[in-house]
Structures are given as C-alpha cells and as structure tokens.
Amino acid sequence: MLIGLTGTPGTGKTSVSKLLEKRRQWKVIYLNDLIKEEHLYTEVDEKRDSVVADMELIRSRLLELTDEMERESASKVVILESHLAHYIADIIIVLRAYPPELIKRLEKRGYSEEKVNENAEAESIDLILAEAFEWCEKVFEVNTTDRTAEETAGDVEKIIDHLLSGKEDELHEYSPGSLDWIDSVP
Ligand SMILES: Nc1ncnc2c1ncn2[C@@H]1O[C@H](COP(=O)(O)OP(=O)(O)O)[C@@H](O)[C@H]1O
C-alpha cells in the first residue's frame, strides 16, 4: 500500500518518516532526495535553490520502485515522503502546522526570511491540502501543532494501521478541513 506523506516544508514529514522506519520498519521513499540523486528533474532553479521536478519521469520511476519495495516489505506499506507526494499517491496524509509555529521551525532550519514567509503563507491558505483534495482519492489531515514528532508519528501510524485493517471509518479525528489559519500570517 503506497501512502503519501505531504505538507508544507517544516511540518515534519522527514522526522515522522524516520521515526516510522525505526518503529515499524516501514519502507520510505524520500522523494526529494530521489529526484536529485536520479536527476528526475527538467531544470535547476538557482534563484530558489531548487529543481523543477519531471512528474512523468518520477511517476514511471516510482512505479518500478514501489513494486520492488512492496514485494520486499512484509508489511506492504511504502510511505512516499515529499511535499510533492500528493501528485503521485492516491492515499495522502497531510501534515499541518500553525503558521507561527511553522515559522519558528523554519527559522531554526536557517531558511531565508523570504522562504519562511512564503511557506508560512502557503500553510495559512491550506495550499497543499487544497492540492491534495484535487489529486488524491483519500485525504487525511494531521495537526502537528503543540505536539512532538513522536506524537505525530503516532498519529500517522494510527491512520496507516486503520487503513491496513479496513477501519478507515474510525478515522474521523483526521478528517481534513477543520483548520482555519487564514488570519494567522500578517
Ligand atoms: N509535531 C511535530 N511533528 C513533526 N515534527 C515536529 C513536530 N514538532 C516539532 N517538529 C520539528 O519540526 C521540524 C520538522 O522538520 P522536518 O521533519 O524536516 O519537516 P519536513 O520534512 O516536513 O520539511 C523538525 O525539527 C521537528 O523536530
């Protein structure tokens, strides 16, 4: 089962994925790293210090990779970790963080003021959640605000375990759309 873990940078996708790899030996594809390692991009955007992902190339590469990993993985769970994951996976978990808290996390990471504000603004207007609704069949939302990475990993683990055991209808607490942070960024 391929499950996407998406969210604005700084919401905790990497931290949670690493914890779940350790805790449950679930396979994780760190898509942003894969894109750079295997040149799955069309051009480099020097100004924004990023690359322009080639989604067609990524989709075909992931088909091979996820088949391989699902065969190898006893649990059959493969987590696709990236802020692009919702363009690929049909089942998506969107991590959220209250923008003022997200700003603190991104400042700690050394992001420029422009990049911090850009991401905080995207988070305040639910940008990734809206894209997830457009692209994905099943969308779950996890609020990471005022929680530890361990607690958030527990939330993600609970969602995946419920999906594996067919108890998706018991996941009301992760139904998307309850957060309204539109006024949280000046
Ligand atoms: N509830 C939480 N869930 C996940 N990360 C959290 C949480 N609270 C604080 N953090 C911190 O926020 C940062 C998230 O960074 P990272 O995992 O790289 O996010 P992303 O991969 O989404 O960019 C980490 O330093 C992590 O320790």
Side-chain angles (χ1 to χ4, degrees):
M1 179 188 281
L2 179 69
I3 297 172
L5 185 60
T6 191
T8 309
T11 48
K13 303 180 293 299
T14 307
S15 304
V16 165
S17 298
K18 293 213 176 301
L19 287 167
L20 292 177
E21 272 182 310
K22 253 190 245 127
R23 205 187 274 187
R24 300 291 296 268
Q25 289 75 50
W26 284 336
K27 301 276 184 193
V28 178
I29 298 172
Y30 294 94
L31 183 54
N32 296 13
D33 296 344
L34 185 78
I35 290 170
K36 290 195 179 133
E37 282 152 23
E38 299 195 4
H39 280 255
L40 303 176
Y41 53 85
T42 50
E43 58 186 272
V44 180
D45 181 339
E46 306 283 352
K47 185 174 166 297
R48 299 164 56 84
D49 182 27
S50 64
V51 294
V52 179
D54 179 331
M55 295 313 289
E56 285 322 305
L57 208 51
I58 291 168
R59 279 195 183 88
S60 56
R61 179 67 181 107
L62 283 178
L63 272 176
E64 299 158 8
L65 206 49
T66 44
D67 279 350
E68 239 168 79
M69 291 175 100
E70 280 176 354
R71 274 198 301 276
E72 282 161 25
S73 145
S75 68
K76 299 286 172 243
V77 169
V78 177
I79 295 173
L80 181 64
E81 184 273 348
S82 166
H83 67 286
L84 301 171
H86 53 284
Y87 292 118
I88 309 276
D90 293 333
I91 304 173
I92 198 77
I93 298 170
V94 184
L95 296 186
R96 305 297 309 274
Y98 183 53
E101 176 168 327
L102 188 69
I103 287 172
K104 287 195 201 111
R105 294 183 194 176
L106 293 175
E107 282 171 344
K108 228 160 102 185
R109 183 187 291 187
Y111 271 21
S112 70
E113 190 182 346
E114 186 190 358
K115 228 173 153 184
V116 169
N117 293 337
E118 197 179 277
N119 283 299
E121 202 170 315
E123 184 64 5
S124 72
I125 60 171
D126 305 342
L127 184 68
I128 287 195
L129 182 69
E131 289 175 349
F133 274 127
E134 206 182 314
W135 284 84
C136 306
E137 277 163 39
K138 292 181 184 167
V139 182
F140 300 93
E141 187 177 43
V142 175
N143 188 359
T144 72
T145 312
D146 296 331
R147 288 174 74 70
T148 64
E150 289 70 18
E151 287 168 330
T152 300
D155 288 324
V156 173
E157 187 175 15
K158 180 176 174 182
I159 293 170
I160 295 176
D161 280 334
H162 275 66
L163 288 170
L164 287 170
S165 53
K167 293 185 190 151
E168 181 184 332
D169 54 347
E170 294 174 20
L171 290 172
H172 304 299
E173 64 187 296
Y174 302 108
S175 299
S178 61
L179 302 170
D180 177 4
W181 291 332
I182 192 77
D183 299 326
S184 66
V185 173

